[in-house]
């Protein structure tokens, strides 16, 4: 559905960090955005925060989209009533906290207020679509659209289908995310952790083991990523890296390095506990570098976002 001016409407359920970020992404594409929160007044507070962020982005000349900040903000409205928030929407992006039962209840409530053609999308980062949408009657229009935090600067979106999701819904989500400047990837079927977190957790686990076993410090393992792998992977993925790192491409790479790769992989230790003494050790080292107080953490997050903005601009 669309409004009389022909501008399509997207409803965001949840006004926290991810919900606000999605609102900014969709506004940048010229969509009308309704943001809803079941806590009275929270959606209105979210608009205040979004306005502040968009004005800062405008000042830094990093505002996304062809519309100015004022034009984008004019497309945004806050709602404390779910039915009102869903009026006219063709796409609903759930963005509440990462707990299964509340998400299931959200989608059951949303389904009771929208037509059969409205796409129901979840921002979940690790819950399986088959469980998130288990209470929905028409699961053929359900999909996970998992963003990377912060979505406004890191453009990847993982599109993960429910077993019943029809191809047209995947195609609509892919087209929408591409249109608003995100970089969607399509998973062919659901898998625990999706793609990003499975890769991320593998990196975290081995980094953790190397620190725990006294092989390297927290500071230096982070440098392995920021000054090594991360520099490369910001532009070239792991499979392309293999393809480019041997004179004759991937098959040549495997011929040269297969044995060594398998030897190293076979030496990997068990899954870490991420608790107890090992967690205390890692926490002590990282807190010596970045104290875990609001001032230091906020400063580092701000630095992170500025660097991500600069990287996104460079990649364009």
């Amino acid at each position: 559905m669309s409004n009389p001016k022909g501008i399509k409407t997207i409803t965001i359920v949840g006004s926290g960090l991810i919900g606000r970020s999605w609102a900014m992404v969709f506004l940048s594409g010229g969509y009308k955005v309704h943001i809803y929160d079941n806590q009275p007044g929270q959606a209105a507070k979210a608009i205040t925060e979004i306005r502040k962020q968009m004005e800062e982005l405008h000042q830094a000349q990093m505002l996304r989209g062809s519309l100015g900040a004022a034009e984008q903000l004019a497309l945004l409205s806050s709602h404390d009533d779910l039915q009102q928030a869903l009026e006219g929407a063709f796409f609903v992006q759930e963005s509440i906290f990462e707990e299964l039962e509340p998400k299931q209840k959200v989608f059951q409530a949303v389904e009771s207020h929208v037509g059969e053609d409205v796409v129901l999308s979840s921002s979940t980062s690790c819950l399986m679509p088959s469980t998130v949408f288990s209470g929905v009657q028409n699961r053929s229009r359900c999909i996970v659209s998992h963003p990377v935090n912060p979505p406004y600067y890191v453009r990847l979106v993982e599109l993960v289908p429910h077993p019943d999701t029809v191809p047209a819904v995947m195609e609509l989500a892919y087209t929408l995310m591409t249109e608003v400047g995100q970089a969607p990837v399509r998973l062919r079927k659901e898998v625990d952790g999706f793609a990003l977190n499975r890769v991320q957790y593998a990196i975290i686990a081995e980094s953790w083991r190397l620190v725990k076993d006294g092989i390297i410090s927290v500071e230096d393992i982070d440098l392995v990523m920021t000054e090594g792998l991360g520099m490369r992977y910001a532009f070239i993925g792991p499979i392309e890296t293999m393809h480019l790192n041997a004179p004759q491409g991937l098959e040549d790479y495997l011929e040269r390095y297969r044995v060594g790769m398998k030897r190293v992989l076979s030496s990997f230790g068990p899954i870490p506990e991420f608790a107890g003494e090992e967690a205390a050790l890692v926490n002590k080292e990282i807190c010596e570098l970045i104290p875990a107080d609001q001032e230091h953490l906020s400063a580092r997050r701000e630095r992170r976002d500025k660097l991500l903005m600069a990287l996104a601009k460079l990649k364009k």
Side-chain angles (χ1 to χ4, degrees):
M1 296 182 179
S2 59
N3 67 16
K5 292 184 179 179
I7 302 174
K8 289 186 175 180
T9 300
I10 295 172
T11 297
I12 296 167
V13 178
S15 66
L17 174 62
I18 298 300
R20 296 195 304 269
S21 296
W22 271 127
M24 292 169 63
V25 167
F26 292 134
L27 289 170
S28 74
Y31 285 92
K32 188 175 182 182
V33 174
H34 296 173
I35 189 164
Y36 163 81
D37 200 293
N38 66 355
Q39 299 298 312
Q42 286 302 114
K45 288 180 181 178
I47 289 185
T48 300
E49 180 60 30
I50 290 169
R51 179 177 290 107
K52 177 186 173 187
Q53 284 186 263
M54 292 182 73
E55 288 171 353
E56 290 173 354
L57 288 164
H58 177 74
Q59 294 268 339
Q61 297 185 321
M62 286 299 296
L63 186 70
R64 289 171 55 172
S66 59
L67 300 177
E71 293 172 296
Q72 292 187 32
L73 288 165
L75 297 170
L76 179 63
S77 59
S78 64
H79 302 267
D80 295 334
D81 179 85
L82 180 60
Q83 185 172 356
Q84 183 187 58
L86 293 166
E87 207 170 291
F90 80 100
F91 192 93
V92 178
Q93 185 68 39
E94 170 274 314
S95 302
I96 69 167
F97 48 92
E98 193 73 348
E99 289 185 18
L100 178 59
E101 189 175 339
K103 286 182 183 287
Q104 291 172 327
K105 289 180 178 178
V106 161
F107 283 112
Q108 288 176 295
V110 167
E111 187 177 38
S112 69
H113 293 302
V114 299
E116 290 289 313
D117 60 336
V118 177
V119 174
L120 307 185
S121 176
S122 175
S123 298
T124 180
S125 61
C126 63
L127 299 173
M128 299 278 271
S130 54
T131 57
V132 171
F133 300 114
S134 62
V136 175
Q137 296 300 308
N138 176 16
R139 293 183 285 273
S140 67
R141 39 82 169 272
C142 296
I143 193 166
V144 164
S145 303
H146 169 226
V148 183
N149 189 29
Y152 198 83
Y153 310 124
V154 183
R155 304 193 180 207
L156 183 79
V157 179
E158 292 183 291
L159 300 177
V160 189
H162 183 279
D164 296 339
T165 302
V166 296
V169 169
M170 174 64 80
E171 190 58 36
L172 184 150
Y174 186 89
T175 300
L176 171 62
M177 295 303 167
T178 302
E179 184 184 346
V180 297
Q182 299 302 95
V185 294
R186 290 174 275 213
L187 273 68
R188 293 169 181 164
K189 58 184 178 180
E190 65 177 11
V191 62
D192 196 10
F194 313 150
L196 184 140
N197 276 329
R198 290 178 77 90
V199 173
Q200 177 173 241
Y201 293 163
I203 293 170
I204 288 172
E206 183 54 18
S207 298
W208 189 277
R209 283 189 292 259
L210 290 170
V211 172
K212 177 178 75 74
D213 293 343
I215 293 167
I216 195 169
S217 68
V218 165
E219 182 176 18
D220 283 350
I221 194 62
D222 278 357
L223 284 171
V224 167
M225 182 59 68
T226 60
E227 298 296 335
L229 291 175
M231 296 286 284
R232 173 192 290 163
Y233 287 164
F235 299 95
I236 303 170
I239 305 301
E240 184 178 351
T241 294
M242 295 166 71
H243 195 50
L244 298 182
N245 275 8
Q248 304 302 317
L250 180 62
E251 288 187 356
D252 187 15
Y253 184 95
L254 295 176
E255 190 65 33
R256 291 165 182 262
Y257 302 114
R258 180 188 293 113
V259 172
M261 289 169 65
K262 292 172 69 177
R263 185 192 72 248
V264 172
L265 286 167
S266 69
S267 73
F268 281 21
I271 297 171
E273 290 297 324
F274 301 115
E277 289 184 9
E278 62 187 61
L281 168 68
V282 177
N283 185 61
K284 179 177 181 292
E285 286 200 38
I286 190 62
C287 286
E288 286 173 355
L289 298 169
I290 309 167
D293 60 71
Q294 198 59 41
E295 180 183 353
H296 286 89
L297 292 175
S298 294
R300 293 294 287 194
R301 291 181 187 123
E302 185 177 345
R303 175 180 178 271
R304 174 202 66 187
D305 290 351
K306 286 180 178 177
L307 289 170
L308 288 170
M309 279 197 299
L311 180 59
K313 191 172 183 179
L314 180 62
K315 291 187 75 171
K316 287 177 67 177

